[in-house]
Every structure is written in structure tokens, then in C-alpha cells.
Amino acid sequence: VLMAQLNFKIDVHAFLDEEGVGVSIYFGEDDDEGVSTVISFSDLIDDIVDNCVVDGRIRNKEDKKYVEAVAKQLADMSKDLFCYVT
């Protein structure tokens, strides 16, 4: 039985800027450019509302925990953003 093993390095970095939440992914040690995308704040909020809110209320406890976690992560990331603003 022949078995092959593949090992590769993936680096993922999230960042917050004035446009929204960005994610950069780098594949392998030689990838200097990577792939990046930014999700606008508007799209992020719309997605949360579409998936977690019914009749103006968060649907259940699991959704509430998710919304709170997203809000906390954005707040934590915004601390870094505002540290760079002069």
C-alpha cells in the first residue's frame, strides 16, 4: 500500500479597516502576495440579521451567543484599528 503525505503551510490573518473585516490567506512559505478579501460592515450586519433575527428579535440562545461573539471580536479588532489612527 502506497501512502502519500502532503504538508503545506496556510497562514490566515483577519483585520479590520474602514471598509469592513478583511481576511488574508497565504499558501506555503513562498507566498508573499496571498489572497485577500474584505467583507463590508453592511454585508456583515445584513448577513447576521438575515440569519439570526426574526420579527426584530434574535431567534434563540445559540444565535444570541453567535451575535455576541461577533460583536466581541469586532470590538477587540477595533482596538487595534483605533491604536493606529492619529
Side-chain angles (χ1 to χ4, degrees):
V1 174
L2 287 176
M3 296 192 81
Q5 181 177 359
L6 274 178
N7 292 315
F8 57 95
K9 183 178 178 183
I10 299 176
D11 287 323
V12 179
H13 302 277
F15 58 92
L16 191 68
D17 66 15
E18 60 278 351
E19 295 178 27
V21 178
V23 178
S24 296
I25 302 172
Y26 300 89
F27 299 95
E29 294 178 8
D30 297 329
D31 187 0
D32 293 330
E33 293 183 25
V35 176
S36 295
T37 189
V38 175
I39 302 164
S40 73
F41 293 116
S42 178
D43 288 345
L44 179 63
I45 299 302
D46 287 347
D47 184 58
I48 290 171
V49 169
D50 290 346
N51 290 292
C52 299
V53 177
V54 174
D55 296 327
R57 298 183 67 90
I58 295 176
R59 294 184 307 185
N60 54 49
K61 289 182 182 180
E62 290 80 24
D63 287 341
K64 182 179 178 185
K65 288 180 184 178
Y66 171 73
V67 171
E68 288 172 347
V70 169
K72 182 180 181 325
Q73 290 171 345
L74 289 173
D76 289 344
M77 291 174 74
S78 70
K79 291 175 189 173
D80 294 335
L81 177 67
F82 290 114
C83 288
Y84 297 114
V85 176
T86 57

